[in-house]
Amino acid sequence: MNSAFWISNLTLTNFRSYDHLKLEFDPSPVVITGPNGSGKTNILEAVSLLASGRGLRMARLSEIDKRQKSDSPYNVFGWAINAAVNLGENQTVISTARETSRDNIDKRIIKIDGEIKRNSSALESAFSLIYFVPQMNHIFTEGRRTRLAFLDRLTMLFDYGHPKRLGVYEKYSAERRRLLKENPDEIWLSATESTMAEQAVAIAASRLEALEYIGKALAEFDSRFPRARMEVKGLVEDNFPKMPALQLEEFFKAKLEEARKLDFFSGRTNYGVHRSDFSVVYAENGALAENCSTGEQKALLLSIILGAARAKATWFNAAPVVLLDEIVAHLDDERREELFGQIASLGIQAWMTATHPKFFKNFAGKMQFFSVHDSVIC
Ligand SMILES: Nc1ncnc2c1ncn2[C@@H]1O[C@H](COP(=O)(O)OP(=O)(O)O)[C@@H](O)[C@H]1O
Ligand SMILES: [Mg+2]
C-alpha cells in the first residue's frame, strides 16, 4: 500500500467564521456536510493554506481574519492555522498565520516544526496538496492564465522548487520592465535577462516533467473518467526537446534582447514562460476541453487531478491530500462510484463537502463524517 499524506489534527484561530476550532482526524477520507453558508469551504480553505499560495479562494490574507464588531479588542489579531501532517512514520507540524504588524498586512508567517521559514516553498517539501473547487469548473474556457496557474499547481506536486522559481522569474521580469523604462543600462539588462532565461528553462522543464508523470499515470490506469491528453505550448517549452538546456537559455536570452524595444513600447514582457498555454484534449474524441460540455470538462479536470495523485503515489510514495469542494454532488452515479473507488485504492485523505450526506451513505466506517451548522461542528 502506498503512503499518502494525511492530516491528524487541525486548529483554526480567528479564521473566517471560526473563533476557535480544533478537529482530529484519522487517515480515511473526510466528509463535511451542512447547509449553504454553514462553514464547510472555510475549513477546506484553511487546509489549502497549508500549501504555498493564497489558498483556494485566492483571498487577500487580511480578508480571512474573522470579522469582529468594530469595538472588539480582537481586531488586532490575524488568523492562524496549526496542523499536524503525516506521511508514513513522519509527522510534521505546520503553523501559518497572518503577520499583523501594520506595514505587513498581507504577509504570511510559516513555521515548520516550530522553525520559521522565510520561503513558502518550504511548505511544498513538508506537505502535498491539490484541490478542485467550483470556481475551477470554467478553467478551460476562462483563459490562458487560469489554465497555466492550474498547470503550475500540478507542477509543484512534483517539484518543490517550482513556486520559488516562478517568483524569481516574475521578479526579474518586473525588474527588466523597470530598467527598460527608467534606466536601460546594458550590463544590468543583460544580467537580468540571463537570470530570467535560467529560471524560464527550469520552469519549462518542470512543467514538462509533471505532464509526463501525470500522462503516464493516466495511460497506465484504466479509469471510468475520460482520459485527458495534456500539452503545454510556449516559446521555451516548444524548444525544450530540440536543444540542450544551456543552448535553450542562450536562445531565450537572445529573444529577450531582441524584444527590448517591443517590450518597452508595449510595457509588458511579450515572450516567456508566463505566456505559455496549457491545453487539454478529451483523448477519446480529440475535442479540445474548452469545446466539451461542462460535465465533460469537470470530469477531465477530476481525471487530471486523480492522475496527478496517482503519479505522486506511484513514483514518490507520497500521495497528496485532495480537497474536493462541492464536487461530489454534481457527478453522476457511475463517476461518483469511480471517484470513491480511486480514493480508496490510492488510500488518500480526500476532503469532500456536500450539502447532504446521502451521497456517502454506503461509506459509514470507511470515511469520517463531520456535520457543520453555523460554524459549529457536530
Ligand atoms: N472573514 C470572515 N469573518 C467572519 N465570517 C466570515 C468571513 N468570511 C466568510 N465568513 C462567513 O462564513 C460563512 C460560511 O462560509 P462557507 O464556509 O463558505 O460556507 P459553506 O461552504 O458551508 O457554504 C458565511 O456565512 C460567511 O459569511
Ligand atoms: Mg462552500
Side-chain angles (χ1 to χ4, degrees):
M1 167 122 176
N2 289 311
S3 317
F5 278 102
W6 63 282
I7 296 170
S8 51
N9 64 61
L10 177 71
T11 308
L12 312 185
T13 311
N14 205 26
F15 189 97
R16 296 269 186 202
S17 51
Y18 297 96
D19 271 318
H20 188 76
L21 178 72
K22 189 170 175 19
L23 295 171
E24 293 191 351
F25 307 95
D26 64 43
S28 67
V30 177
V31 177
I32 305 173
T33 58
N36 285 322
S38 56
K40 304 181 297 294
T41 303
N42 291 347
I43 297 175
L44 264 56
E45 184 185 27
V47 175
S48 73
L49 284 161
L50 301 175
S52 66
R54 298 167 73 176
L56 56 73
R57 282 196 175 104
M58 307 284 185
R60 284 178 57 95
L61 299 182
S62 52
E63 254 171 59
I64 298 173
D65 292 355
K66 185 169 196 298
R67 283 188 297 270
Q68 307 282 353
K69 294 194 185 76
S70 56
D71 56 353
S72 161
Y74 296 106
N75 261 345
V76 294
F77 295 121
W79 55 266
I81 305 165
N82 196 77
V85 304
N86 305 269
L87 181 68
E89 301 285 289
N90 288 332
Q91 184 174 80
T92 308
V93 176
I94 300 177
S95 317
T96 179
R98 182 174 76 81
E99 170 98 68
T100 50
S101 70
R102 228 170 260 205
D103 40 348
N104 258 334
I105 57 161
D106 252 64
K107 193 148 183 208
R108 230 171 119 182
I109 311 171
I110 292 158
K111 271 194 204 169
I112 293 179
D113 286 333
E115 206 178 292
I116 292 195
K117 300 288 174 187
R118 283 176 50 88
N119 197 293
S120 64
S121 59
L123 288 171
E124 260 69 46
S125 54
F127 183 53
S128 190
L129 167 99
I130 185 93
Y131 55 80
F132 183 9
V133 296
Q135 295 92 302
M136 288 163 65
N137 281 338
H138 307 292
I139 214 168
F140 297 120
T141 47
E142 242 169 29
R144 195 186 50 73
R145 283 164 68 108
T146 329
R147 281 197 300 271
L148 190 62
F150 176 59
L151 171 61
D152 285 325
R153 285 223 77 88
L154 292 169
T155 304
M156 281 179 200
L157 289 175
F158 302 94
D159 178 5
Y160 308 145
H162 192 65
K164 185 167 176 211
R165 265 183 240 119
L166 288 169
V168 174
Y169 174 82
E170 185 43 53
K171 189 175 139 199
Y172 279 80
S173 303
E175 173 64 5
R176 177 172 168 277
R177 286 195 298 275
R178 191 190 66 78
L179 286 170
L180 286 173
K181 211 165 112 197
E182 293 168 13
N183 175 27
D185 174 89
E186 172 58 36
I187 294 173
W188 277 113
L189 268 174
S190 173
T192 307
E193 288 165 354
S194 288
T195 308
M196 282 175 71
E198 219 175 272
Q199 301 299 319
V201 171
I203 288 166
S206 297
R207 284 177 182 161
L208 290 165
E209 192 181 45
L211 289 186
E212 209 167 296
Y213 278 125
I214 302 168
K216 198 159 172 254
L218 289 176
E220 287 179 5
F221 185 76
D222 219 12
S223 161
R224 273 183 279 176
F225 283 105
R227 187 153 296 158
R229 204 164 61 228
M230 299 163 295
E231 207 173 24
V232 54
K233 294 199 198 92
L235 180 70
V236 184
E237 286 90 347
D238 292 350
N239 283 292
F240 196 87
K242 299 179 197 157
M243 322 178 182
L246 284 177
Q247 195 185 335
L248 184 53
E249 272 178 31
E250 288 306 315
F251 165 83
F252 179 50
K253 187 171 183 259
K255 192 75 191 173
L256 285 170
E257 191 180 328
E258 187 190 310
R260 284 179 190 173
K261 207 171 191 176
L262 173 67
D263 291 353
F264 167 75
F265 282 112
S266 61
R268 58 181 196 150
T269 313
N270 285 277
Y271 297 100
V273 285
H274 60 295
R275 307 206 25 105
S276 303
D277 197 0
F278 176 43
S279 72
V280 173
V281 166
Y282 194 118
E284 265 124 87
N285 60 15
L288 276 169
E290 50 264 52
N291 300 327
C292 293
S293 75
T294 44
E296 286 171 331
Q297 292 185 31
K298 266 187 233 178
L300 278 170
L301 209 50
L302 203 47
S303 166
I304 294 171
I305 286 171
L306 288 169
R310 185 167 299 281
K312 270 223 77 167
T314 310
W315 294 296
F316 298 87
N317 230 16
V321 162
V322 179
L323 308 181
L324 301 172
D325 192 23
E326 303 290 340
I327 303 300
V328 168
H330 303 288
L331 295 173
D332 58 38
D333 292 346
E334 194 190 348
R335 286 196 176 135
R336 191 157 44 237
E337 207 178 291
E338 175 72 15
L339 171 66
F340 291 163
Q342 290 202 36
I343 287 172
S345 71
L346 286 167
I348 51 182
Q349 194 184 49
W351 291 53
M352 297 171 280
T353 63
T355 47
H356 203 280
K358 65 184 174 200
F359 307 108
F360 307 93
K361 65 178 185 298
N362 299 331
F363 293 89
K366 293 193 180 128
M367 296 179 179
Q368 40 194 333
F369 292 83
F370 298 85
S371 117
V372 46
H373 286 271
D374 285 334
S375 301
V376 177
I377 309 267
C378 32

